[in-house]
Amino acid sequence: MDSKETIIQTTMELIVEKGEHLNDITVREICKRADVGLGLINYHFGHKEKLIELCIERVINGIVDKFHSIQEKIEGLTPFDKLDYLGNLTLTFLFEHYTISKISILGDMSEPKEDDNTHRTYLAYLPLVSACRPDWDTETTQRKTFLLITIMQQSFLRHKMILKLLGIDLTEEGQRRAFHSKILHDLLEV
């Protein structure tokens, strides 16, 4: 494994270890564990924050990839129930991994790419939205799927405002599930 990949793998291990305390990860700690010189972080990534963003993107990519295997486990459900289940799974992940989720979403918003986590999530949800509303044309399905992903991200990022404005505490699982279900009903018009 080359030094760049060693740095990435080491940083990913530290992210998992530190959990929500990403600010505790230092360049010195990364370099010591990876057994590389300090200058390689700047050489390969520019700065620690860029390295952390890259690693978080990889972690989230792995979760999005698992999304397809989860879909197979819930084959007996209706398309709407699948979408509701997987949406709640996504929202629960976001809130349980608040810091890395926030970094991932804000990174995608500031520098959108065709293969970023938001786009990969969109692609994973698209067939589910289509299955829920086979009567919609392609453009409507794409637009509504985009809206769903955007609503989920904004609900996560603005959960304190939702509590203040609507009295719904999205950090509480039951309220989050009910809110998500209402969003699906509104968006899918079912």
Side-chain angles (χ1 to χ4, degrees), residues 17-30:
E17 284 176 30
K18 302 284 184 176
E20 300 304 310
H21 304 284
L22 297 181
N23 290 334
D24 294 348
I25 299 173
T26 65
V27 172
R28 289 190 188 285
E29 182 177 22
I30 295 167

Side-chain angles (χ1 to χ4, degrees), residues 25-120:
I25 299 173
T26 65
V27 172
R28 289 190 188 285
E29 182 177 22
I30 295 167
C31 292
K32 183 177 178 184
R33 280 210 192 174
D35 196 28
V36 298
L38 286 169
L40 285 178
I41 300 282
N42 288 334
Y43 174 75
H44 288 300
F45 308 101
H47 49 81
K48 179 182 88 168
E49 289 72 23
K50 210 55 158 167
L51 169 60
I52 298 273
E53 282 179 24
L54 173 72
C55 291
I56 287 172
E57 185 175 321
R58 280 199 185 180
V59 169
I60 302 290
N61 280 344
I63 291 159
V64 172
D65 289 342
K66 288 180 185 175
F67 194 82
H68 297 290
S69 67
I70 292 168
Q71 285 184 16
E72 292 170 11
K73 293 178 185 177
I74 57 172
E75 277 193 28
L77 300 177
T78 67
F80 182 87
D81 289 338
K82 286 181 185 181
L83 190 59
D84 191 38
Y85 176 84
L86 293 169
N88 280 307
L89 204 62
T90 301
L91 287 169
T92 297
F93 176 86
L94 293 175
F95 281 98
E96 286 179 354
H97 303 89
Y98 187 84
T99 302
I100 65 171
S101 297
K102 184 176 177 181
I103 290 169
S104 175
I105 291 169
L106 293 175
D108 289 355
M109 287 180 174
S110 67
E111 295 181 40
K113 296 178 279 203
E114 281 193 37
D115 64 340
D116 65 18
N117 291 320
T118 297
H119 189 71
R120 291 167 57 90

